[in-house]
Amino acid sequence: MVFFLEQLVNGLTVGAVYALVALGYTMVYGVMRLINFAHGDFFMLGSYVGFTVLVKVMENAALPLWLTLILTTVIALASVALLGVFVERAAYRPLRKSSRLTAVVSALGVSIFLQNAAMLIWGARYQAYPPWASPTAKWIIGGVTLSLMQALIMGVSLVLMVALYLFVQKTTVGAAIRATAIDHDTARLMGIDVDSIIRLIFLIGPGLGAIAGVLLGLYYRQIHFTVGWAYGLKAFTAAILGGIGNIPGAMVGGLLLGILEMLGAGYISAAWKDVFVFLILILLLMFRPTGLLGERVAEKV
Amino acid sequence: MKKNRSGLLLLVLMVFALSLGVAVHAGPEPIKIGLQAPITGPWAYEGEMARNSVQIVADEINRAGGILGRPLEIVLGDDQGSPKQSALVAQRMLSEKVVAVVGTYGSSVNDPASAIYERAGLVNIAYGSTAEKLTEQGRKFFFRTCFRDDRQGSFFAKFATDTLKAKRVAIVHDNTTFGKGLAEAARRPLEAAKKADLVFYDAITPGERDFTAILSRMGKTNPDVLYFTGYYSEAGLVIRQMRTLGIKATFVGGNAAINDEFVKIAGLDMAKGALMTQEPLPKDLAYPESKSFLAEYQRRNKEIPSSPWPVYAADGLKCIAAAIKAAGSTDSKKLADYLHDKLEDMPGITGPISFDEVGDREGAIYLAYQVTADGKFVPLQ
């Protein structure tokens, strides 16, 4: 039982990161019907910006740790969100009227560009977050180890996800996002500025990715310019699992994926965990192609 | 607008003239030697160091007038640490008409390229590919300046039971040709000697970051020693996550784990005391050839290689150069014959080099290294 609970905690931690990244996929898909393959790289850039801020600025700033972490996250969030808007303007907007395939190819191009840019800026080596930045406290509750970092990751993700959900469901801007997701032209007729809605989506998605990136760096400490691809693929799977285009779906998908992975690795074999994850994805696509919570896309198609 | 265009035209003409000039003024035709290495991708740092190392040897030979009166030219092929890319690099090397190839780092990456070189009859000398199966395929043109995994595996088995007095051993590999090969090579002598029990044997997926699930499962078997045969990028995470979970087993890494980045990723507090089975590191090489090579490397790159592999790459080029010189020809078949039969204790940077009939380097010296309290790797006394 202790073993099971331990895997559950580990799974929820990994799943929370997947979920944060998956939100970016799902929001962009929901509004633009575009699978933004560069999204994983925004996540990667977030972890690198966080790394640079910690090493170059915060090391000498002598601020309390909590303030350091908040400032680092905010800087990473802001710079990656701005980059997201810029990428949308440069690589996606000119192609909005073209076929969907063109936009996907453009997204892949952006992904390769960002990865290589990161390699040239920060070098091809693994970089490691400074040890002083990660809180090391941990609790052992009934034999189950829960570290402060794990709690932090789960807590931050939960707060962000609830906030995003409320924002989309309860505010006027949220209603405009939902309307744009259903139909761009009709939304425009209703007086919604579709361009600024899309810009907003590209602020929020990469921004959330950047926060996940900083959390990842603090938790595992090791970062690399290829990390975006690996996590991007998992998050993309999580988005599909929950039903792409569906915000609560991405959260459920991410958490579920994390838990499945950890239980697979814990009880069967770590070498096989990706096999189980993608097997479940294939079964899901065969029997419930819209994902667990995804009805809206099916409705539209 | 018009002015711009004529400027562009001028530029194009100039570039064209320049390239013509180069072609006309070149002296004796250079001998092209390939270097296949992971210049980008997850092992890019290893590739970068290999490129630096090989260039030093090439420059040295060229300063001394080249070989057979011709300068050496290194043709770089970036295999990105990927087996698929590796095959493409091999094809490119053939079309570039190189006379021999140094490379590459990873065993699984080496395999497809080496098969292509074999068909084309091109000498290729690996510098970091240590998997046993590479020399078990009866290839005539494949050599390696690094040592084979089974020698390291036996060293670990003896070290774990005799020096560390371990009774319960866990082995975790990363499912790469190399990692799995070394794990198997350690498992066999361990089980044959019957001095310790193998209580856990499993694999992780490289590129992953979270190994807590497999490590908690390993922790339940209560091992005295964990032998991790993957690369430093994962090894740092493994030791860190294992200590966080409260597992006290002695960590022993294979020779892909030893790298400064291991300490950086694990954090000094966690990495301290970790052991590695390893060929002597560049800093611990005591031959005159190694001293002058490392001084030059230090002068050019402000540091010496942190892993031994780049030095094996430099030795690979030395072997090729010696073979061309002795054979008086760049014919790959003659080079292969020379390397197999005649090359005897050539003074390499990593010590005397001879190859056996399958292309493996003869002899082998392994040491146990330990991470000190200030994060350095020193041989265990």
Side-chain angles (χ1 to χ4, degrees):
Chain A
M1 192 60 192
V2 169
F3 183 68
F4 175 78
L5 289 175
E6 198 141 79
Q7 301 305 339
L8 202 62
V9 171
N10 294 334
L12 282 171
T13 316
V14 183
V17 177
Y18 291 157
L20 276 185
V21 184
L23 283 174
Y25 271 108
T26 233
M27 287 178 72
V28 168
Y29 186 84
V31 173
M32 295 177 70
R33 295 293 175 273
L34 161 73
I35 294 168
N36 179 16
F37 279 110
H39 187 65
D41 299 296
F42 289 122
F43 162 76
M44 176 268 297
L45 285 173
S47 65
Y48 269 109
V49 174
F51 164 76
T52 310
V53 173
L54 279 175
V55 174
K56 300 272 182 228
V57 185
M58 295 301 175
E59 187 123 52
N60 309 314
L63 296 170
L65 186 58
W66 61 271
L67 190 59
T68 305
L69 294 185
I70 290 175
L71 281 176
T72 306
T73 312
V74 168
I75 296 173
L77 165 82
S79 40
V80 173
L82 283 179
L83 183 74
V85 172
F86 174 74
V87 164
E88 190 273 325
R89 181 72 191 80
Y92 300 145
R93 194 181 299 178
L95 299 173
R96 211 178 289 158
K97 295 272 178 283
S98 332
S99 79
R100 241 174 252 177
L101 186 64
T102 320
V104 168
V105 172
S106 179
L108 283 172
V110 171
S111 165
I112 295 169
F113 176 84
L114 292 179
Q115 275 191 36
N116 283 282
M119 186 187 83
L120 292 172
I121 296 171
W122 287 283
R125 304 180 186 193
Y126 284 88
Q127 297 290 356
Y129 266 49
W132 54 263
S134 325
T136 50
K138 61 177 177 186
W139 304 281
I140 296 172
I141 308 155
V144 180
T145 319
L146 174 72
S147 70
L148 178 55
M149 250 342 278
Q150 288 179 318
L152 206 61
I153 289 175
M154 289 187 266
V156 169
S157 317
L158 191 69
V159 169
L160 287 174
M161 289 190 281
V162 170
L164 183 69
Y165 183 74
L166 293 178
F167 172 69
V168 172
Q169 293 300 329
K170 305 283 179 203
T171 63
T172 326
V173 183
I177 294 178
R178 281 180 286 140
T180 313
I182 294 170
D183 195 319
H184 286 197
D185 292 331
T186 315
R188 198 172 282 125
L189 288 176
M190 298 295 146
I192 295 169
D193 181 354
V194 171
D195 279 344
S196 46
I197 292 294
I198 290 177
R199 204 176 302 132
L200 183 67
I201 294 296
F202 270 89
L203 267 176
I204 298 174
L208 289 174
I211 297 178
V214 175
L215 289 172
L216 174 103
L218 290 172
Y219 185 43
Y220 297 122
R221 210 181 270 174
Q222 174 233 56
I223 57 170
H224 196 240
F225 68 93
T226 54
V227 68
W229 183 249
Y231 274 77
L233 199 62
K234 285 285 170 62
F236 174 58
T237 309
I240 303 256
L241 194 63
I244 192 153
N246 183 318
I247 290 175
M251 306 176 194
V252 173
L255 292 176
L256 211 58
L257 196 69
I259 295 170
L260 277 174
E261 256 191 30
M262 283 299 159
L263 291 183
Y267 283 99
I268 304 159
S269 167
W272 282 77
K273 77 178 185 190
D274 286 358
V275 177
F276 297 122
V277 167
F278 291 110
L279 184 70
I280 286 166
L281 179 69
I282 291 167
L283 289 177
L284 192 83
L285 288 176
M286 281 167 71
F287 296 108
R288 199 177 157 78
T290 52
L292 294 177
L293 304 180
E295 281 134 50
R296 218 177 51 195
V297 178
E299 192 180 283
K300 178 166 165 135
V301 172
Chain B
M1 193 63 197
K2 198 165 180 196
K3 204 174 160 199
N4 266 346
R5 194 169 297 167
S6 60
L8 192 70
L9 193 68
L10 196 68
L11 192 75
V12 169
L13 280 175
M14 268 165 64
V15 169
F16 190 65
L18 213 65
S19 55
L20 264 179
V22 169
V24 170
H25 285 290
E29 202 191 330
I31 300 178
K32 286 186 179 179
I33 293 176
L35 169 63
Q36 183 185 336
I39 303 298
T40 59
W43 300 327
Y45 183 41
E46 285 289 348
E48 189 186 305
M49 293 193 294
R51 172 162 70 172
N52 295 339
S53 301
V54 166
Q55 197 58 50
I56 289 176
V57 175
D59 290 349
E60 206 167 77
I61 291 171
N62 287 341
R63 258 201 312 278
I67 314 173
L68 312 178
R70 292 161 65 187
L72 287 190
E73 184 192 321
I74 302 296
V75 177
L76 186 68
D78 175 13
D79 62 32
Q80 301 171 5
S82 121
K84 200 172 69 189
Q85 197 64 26
S86 167
L88 295 176
V89 168
Q91 302 288 6
R92 212 197 103 209
M93 290 292 179
L94 297 184
S95 65
E96 291 263 357
K97 306 235 180 306
V98 300
V99 304
V101 178
V102 176
T104 181
Y105 175 66
S107 295
S108 44
V109 186
N110 196 301
D111 207 18
S114 180
I116 293 171
Y117 296 139
E118 184 71 21
R119 273 201 300 279
L122 191 68
V123 165
N124 57 115
I125 305 189
Y127 67 88
S129 316
T130 54
E132 287 161 60
K133 74 169 221 208
L134 289 173
T135 41
E136 280 168 357
Q137 306 179 18
R139 286 183 184 152
K140 190 175 164 356
F141 294 92
F142 175 75
F143 299 87
R144 53 180 150 201
T145 45
C146 52
F147 298 100
R148 222 165 81 160
D149 289 336
D150 48 352
R151 305 189 184 154
Q152 185 180 184
S154 317
F155 173 81
F156 165 78
K158 204 165 165 323
F159 175 71
T161 51
D162 296 0
T163 312
L164 298 176
K165 310 271 182 243
K167 289 280 166 235
R168 303 171 66 79
V169 177
I171 295 179
V172 174
H173 64 86
D174 66 356
N175 260 331
T176 59
T177 307
F178 161 74
K180 195 171 179 182
L182 178 55
E184 285 293 323
R187 187 223 304 251
R188 282 191 306 266
L190 200 66
E191 286 179 339
K194 291 198 169 56
K195 286 187 199 157
D197 292 327
L198 184 70
V199 292
F200 186 82
Y201 188 88
D202 201 356
I204 57 147
T205 314
E208 288 282 335
R209 269 163 189 74
D210 202 304
F211 308 122
T212 43
I214 180 176
L215 290 174
S216 359
R217 195 150 49 85
M218 182 194 79
K220 286 203 299 188
T221 65
N222 200 19
D224 305 321
V225 167
L226 162 66
Y227 193 36
F228 178 73
T229 62
Y231 291 82
Y232 57 86
S233 43
E234 280 87 26
L237 291 168
V238 164
I239 190 171
R240 196 170 133 77
Q241 290 172 15
M242 159 175 144
R243 296 288 181 246
T244 311
L245 287 170
I247 300 168
K248 300 265 186 300
T250 307
F251 178 93
V252 183
N255 58 3
I258 200 162
N259 189 304
D260 292 344
E261 319 242 316
F262 166 78
V263 181
K264 256 187 14 196
I265 292 164
L268 190 51
D269 50 332
M270 307 276 182
K272 196 167 52 188
L275 294 159
M276 315 267 169
T277 57
Q278 175 71 50
E279 299 80 355
L281 288 181
K283 70 181 171 64
D284 299 316
L285 289 167
Y287 306 96
E289 290 80 9
S290 39
K291 293 249 184 307
S292 64
F293 171 82
L294 291 174
E296 178 64 13
Y297 195 101
Q298 168 86 35
R299 191 184 68 75
R300 292 188 187 196
N301 305 296
K302 312 288 171 254
E303 58 178 11
I304 65 167
S306 54
S307 77
W309 314 114
V311 190
Y312 287 114
D315 266 350
L317 180 58
K318 279 192 158 223
C319 292
I320 292 171
I324 296 175
K325 204 179 229 166
S329 151
T330 56
D331 177 47
S332 227
K333 180 139 187 339
K334 286 187 185 152
L335 300 186
D337 286 341
Y338 177 83
L339 290 173
H340 272 299
D341 305 329
K342 306 231 179 60
L343 187 85
E344 197 71 55
D345 288 338
M346 187 201 80
I349 304 165
T350 55
I353 301 175
S354 332
F355 295 103
D356 65 13
E357 63 284 355
V358 293
D360 272 321
R361 183 167 168 183
E362 283 173 357
I365 347 107
Y366 281 91
L367 299 173
Y369 275 81
Q370 186 160 39
V371 181
T372 62
D374 56 350
K376 301 269 181 295
F377 294 95
V378 294
L380 193 71
Q381 293 309 317

